[in-house]
């Protein structure tokens, strides 16, 4: 890989900044100052930038609190994507592990690890996903039962059993605050499940994905790297 690409993928700056700084002697490779930005380096080369070691990571994992209004894609010519929000790296191979609707907030993993994403998303693995929602409508015990048994949507789609927990019902505004755990991830699944029992989802936020919970310190639009412990529990799914 080119030296300027290596450094920009590891978040040291833009390619043009780095080209300039490499030419002015701020970078060493295996102990030697290198001034050609196109120098080829291996992933295990010892690279320093401004005196600090820059270790190459094959895989990178972020937890994003997705804000509403952003699409779950890697790149788009017109719209802001969840990957555009990860501004500490210039890695080109990041993608969201799964999709949330444009108006949904909450936990999204952004990575370049295709194998982990496949494991989390594969319909065979039935990874639990918990959401918080506000509904236009009064949820009741009958809805809990219908969801527990596995609701069949009007188009014939049979959903796996889901756990519905009613947190509160406001009888005046006729809205409900609920948490729901589903084990699959079909298109607009939660909205379609509630629509089938006559309620509209007016706010939706994903709280967990398998063993991983959204960090409450992340405001919508904020992200952080996953810790080593979080990465290893996710890999055990
Ligand atoms: N279910 C939905 O309807 N939308 C989402 O974004 C996620 C789950």
């Amino acid at each position: 890989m080119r030296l300027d690409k290596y450094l920009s993928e590891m978040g040291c700056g833009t390619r043009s900044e780095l080209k300039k700084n490499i030419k002015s002697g701020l970078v060493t490779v295996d102990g030697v100052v290198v001034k050609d930005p196109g120098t080829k380096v291996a992933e295990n080369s010892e690279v320093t930038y401004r005196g600090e070691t820059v270790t190459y990571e094959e895989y990178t994992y972020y937890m994003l609190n997705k804000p509403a209004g952003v699409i779950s894609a890697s790149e788009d010519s017109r719209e802001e994507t969840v990957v555009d929000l990860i501004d500490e790296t210039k890695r080109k191979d990041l993608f969201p592990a799964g999709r949330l609707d444009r108006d949904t907030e909450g936990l999204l993993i952004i990575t370049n690890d295709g194998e982990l994403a496949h494991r989390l998303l594969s319909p065979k693995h039935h990874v639990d996903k918990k959401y918080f929602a506000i509904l236009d409508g009064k949820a009741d015990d009958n809805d809990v039962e219908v969801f527990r048994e596995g609701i069949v949507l009007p188009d014939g789609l049979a959903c796996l059993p889901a756990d519905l927990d009613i947190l509160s019902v406001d009888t005046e505004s006729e809205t409900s605050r609920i948490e729901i755990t589903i084990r699959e991830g079909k298109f607009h699944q939660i909205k379609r499940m509630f629509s089938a029992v006559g309620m509209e989802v007016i706010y939706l936020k994903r709280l967990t994905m398998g063993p991983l919970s959204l960090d409450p310190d992340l405001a919508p639009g904020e992200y952080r790297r996953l810790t080593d412990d979080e990465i290893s529990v996710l890999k055990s799914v």
Side-chain angles (χ1 to χ4, degrees), residues 120-214:
L120 290 174
L121 301 175
S122 156
K124 273 189 263 159
H125 282 94
H126 299 318
V127 172
D128 281 8
K129 282 152 286 233
K130 181 151 95 176
Y131 293 81
F132 166 78
I134 302 177
L135 310 172
D136 184 7
K138 293 191 283 179
D140 61 23
D141 289 348
N142 187 50
D143 301 315
V144 174
E145 195 47 40
V146 169
F147 282 10
R148 183 184 295 136
E149 282 172 9
I151 190 170
V152 180
L153 301 181
D155 61 6
L157 181 76
C159 298
L160 289 174
D163 299 326
L164 172 60
D165 188 8
I166 301 171
L167 305 176
S168 64
V169 176
D170 184 334
T171 44
E172 217 166 278
S173 62
E174 302 203 342
T175 57
S176 311
R177 297 168 72 255
I178 62 95
E179 285 181 357
I180 181 166
T181 303
I182 58 173
R183 315 206 146 76
E184 51 200 335
K186 303 216 162 72
F187 185 62
H188 293 330
Q189 179 157 353
I190 291 181
K191 292 174 184 163
R192 287 157 75 202
M193 287 169 79
F194 282 105
S195 165
V197 292
M199 285 181 276
E200 192 194 340
V201 174
I202 49 183
Y203 174 80
L204 188 60
K205 175 180 185 175
R206 182 155 64 194
L207 304 175
T208 71
M209 195 162 178
L212 188 68
S213 296
L214 178 64

Side-chain angles (χ1 to χ4, degrees), residues 58-126:
E58 186 178 9
Y59 295 119
T60 309
Y61 306 87
Y62 295 96
M63 167 190 296
L64 169 71
N65 184 355
K66 178 190 172 296
V70 174
I71 59 169
S72 295
S74 299
E75 52 183 8
D76 191 271
S77 54
R78 277 173 300 174
E79 304 212 42
E80 187 174 41
T81 73
V82 289
V83 169
D84 295 334
L85 297 174
I86 311 293
D87 52 8
E88 76 160 37
T89 175
K90 299 288 175 284
R91 276 198 100 119
K92 291 275 185 291
D93 53 359
L94 294 176
F95 59 87
R99 282 170 186 275
L100 292 175
D101 296 340
R102 180 203 293 269
D103 58 352
T104 302
E105 295 184 356
L107 176 62
L108 199 56
I109 297 165
I110 311 286
T111 183
N112 61 331
D113 183 345
E115 205 180 307
L116 178 76
H118 176 74
R119 196 145 358 106
L120 290 174
L121 301 175
S122 156
K124 273 189 263 159
H125 282 94
H126 299 318

